[in-house]
Amino acid sequence: MFEEMVVEKPVIGVTGATGFVGSAIIRMLSGAKGYECVALLRSAKKLESYSDGAREIGELEDLNQSSLDLTGLDVVIHCAARVHVMDDTSSDPMAEFRRVNVNGTLDLARKCVEAGVRRFIFISSIKVNGEMTRNGAAFRHNDVPAPEDAYGTSKAEAEAALHTLSEKTGMELVIIRPPLVYGPGVKGNFASLLRIIGKGIPLPLGAVNNARSLVALDNLVDLIVCCVSHPKASGQVFLVSDGKPISTTDLLRGIATAMNRRCWLLPVPEWVFRVGLGLIGKKAIADRLFGSLVVDISHTKETLDWEPPISLEEGLRRAIAPS
């Protein structure tokens, strides 16, 4: 097994601590792992409703005006971000993503350097690699970034800025790029799928032969926790997944099995969907349903001696379990 960092039990700060991933990180670190965690929250209002061990961070895009206190922290896990949305109504999405995800992240990292934080763990996105894989290929940790939307571009720019800062200051940097994350309390498109299948609504998606990598929340959090103190994590970019890709059709069947429900899937040809969705300006939805996105996690597994602790099937069972 690997050796710990010099600090036996580093004090860990987590941004986005009330979010889907951040809250799970705090539960794991402060519970089973016994670390001292500090939730870095955006507002005093959130601070009032949170348990002990929280500090106000302020808005990411306005950190220079905040009284952010990072003293005593050894590691900061940065989960907070302006997240990707399918239909962004902002007049200038790129500027908004850069303001929060690039400038805000870099300001936070600089404050970490000033406070003596040893390691900065940045939760990025597989969208830095691109939107789809083709011809049986898989995204790798050392691919040249090829983002295709404003969110992915902002994450790629943040990574580049953090690398430069790390090289100049010596603060250790770890980057993790997850694909779609699912688990208890998941929102967005995955939550919509759970509702539809739970209601037994027939879906015309019985003939989708793509391959998509997903990551269960428990697997992602386990990797993040591993990166807190693993000596070989510093300076690395890690891709993460459940270990095997799945087609959209098989995913729907897997969700139905986890729910103990019958899955009604009609084998409608892919071209019918692509033409129809293209006509109404929803090509991105077609790409998500029928396109492939596979990640190669061999570098992650070999560097950290890490394996996803739960299977995709177990991840789906936990995702649909009542809270």
Side-chain angles (χ1 to χ4, degrees):
M1 296 300 292
F2 63 84
E3 297 178 0
E4 295 285 324
M5 290 167 60
V6 174
V7 179
E8 278 192 20
K9 286 289 184 181
V11 181
I12 303 161
V14 182
T15 70
T18 59
F20 178 54
V21 175
S23 59
I25 292 171
I26 292 221
R27 286 195 301 271
M28 171 65 78
L29 284 171
S30 60
K33 299 296 181 180
Y35 286 97
E36 181 182 346
C37 289
V38 176
L40 303 174
L41 306 175
R42 289 185 301 171
S43 66
K45 184 177 180 181
K46 285 180 179 274
L47 206 64
E48 291 170 3
S49 62
Y50 205 82
S51 59
D52 295 337
R55 302 181 193 176
E56 184 178 353
I57 184 176
E59 298 294 338
L60 279 177
E61 59 269 38
D62 200 27
L63 286 184
N64 288 327
Q65 304 303 316
S66 75
S67 56
L68 175 60
D69 178 15
L70 299 174
T71 57
L73 299 184
D74 300 296
V75 179
V76 166
I77 302 170
H78 184 37
C79 301
R82 185 176 196 267
V83 298
H84 170 75
V85 292
M86 288 293 289
D87 297 304
D88 198 323
T89 58
S90 170
S91 59
D92 189 348
M94 188 69 255
E96 289 300 309
F97 278 116
R98 281 193 172 118
R99 192 161 63 93
V100 179
N101 295 349
V102 183
N103 300 339
T105 295
L106 191 56
D107 285 344
L108 174 65
R110 289 191 184 112
K111 287 185 177 292
C112 286
V113 171
E114 293 170 4
V117 172
R118 276 194 188 85
R119 180 170 289 187
F120 190 90
I121 301 176
F122 180 54
I123 309 306
S124 186
S125 169
I126 197 61
K127 281 177 165 286
V128 170
N129 290 69
E131 293 292 326
M132 288 191 294
T133 51
R134 297 172 175 84
N135 303 320
F139 286 139
R140 294 179 55 81
H141 72 287
N142 55 357
D143 287 343
V144 175
E148 297 180 28
D149 67 1
Y151 173 71
T153 298
S154 71
K155 287 291 192 176
E157 291 178 357
E159 287 187 15
L162 289 171
H163 276 300
T164 300
L165 182 68
S166 175
E167 290 168 1
K168 288 181 178 179
T169 65
M171 181 174 69
E172 296 179 352
L173 174 65
V174 182
I175 292 171
I176 299 174
R177 296 179 189 161
L180 187 148
V181 185
Y182 67 96
V186 67
K187 294 180 173 60
N189 294 332
F190 200 93
S192 299
L193 284 180
L194 296 181
R195 287 193 296 271
I196 291 169
I197 294 172
K199 293 178 179 178
I201 299 172
L203 291 170
L205 297 169
V208 185
N209 297 313
N210 60 349
R212 296 193 74 88
S213 293
L214 313 175
V215 62
L217 180 61
D218 287 347
N219 286 337
L220 174 58
V221 170
D222 190 81
L223 176 64
I224 294 168
V225 171
C226 177
C227 288
V228 164
S229 54
H230 199 301
K232 292 185 179 179
S234 178
Q236 297 289 336
V237 173
F238 295 120
L239 305 191
V240 59
S241 76
D242 291 333
K244 69 174 183 179
I246 189 170
S247 71
T248 299
T249 297
D250 286 341
L251 174 61
L252 297 171
R253 289 174 177 151
I255 292 171
T257 298
M259 289 181 165
N260 197 26
R261 296 292 182 91
R262 185 164 183 179
C263 189
W264 300 88
L265 298 177
L266 308 175
V268 177
E270 176 182 334
W271 69 266
V272 174
F273 276 95
R274 287 198 175 274
V275 170
L277 289 170
L279 290 173
I280 61 174
K282 300 293 183 180
K283 180 180 178 297
I285 295 178
D287 290 340
R288 283 171 176 263
L289 288 172
F290 300 104
S292 292
L293 192 160
V294 179
V295 304
D296 179 350
I297 63 170
S298 58
H299 166 258
T300 303
K301 293 164 69 174
E302 292 164 5
T303 303
L304 302 175
D305 190 24
W306 179 84
E307 290 285 342
I310 67 171
S311 66
L312 185 146
E313 292 77 14
E314 176 60 22
L316 293 178
R317 283 193 290 272
R318 294 185 185 188
I320 60 93
S323 57

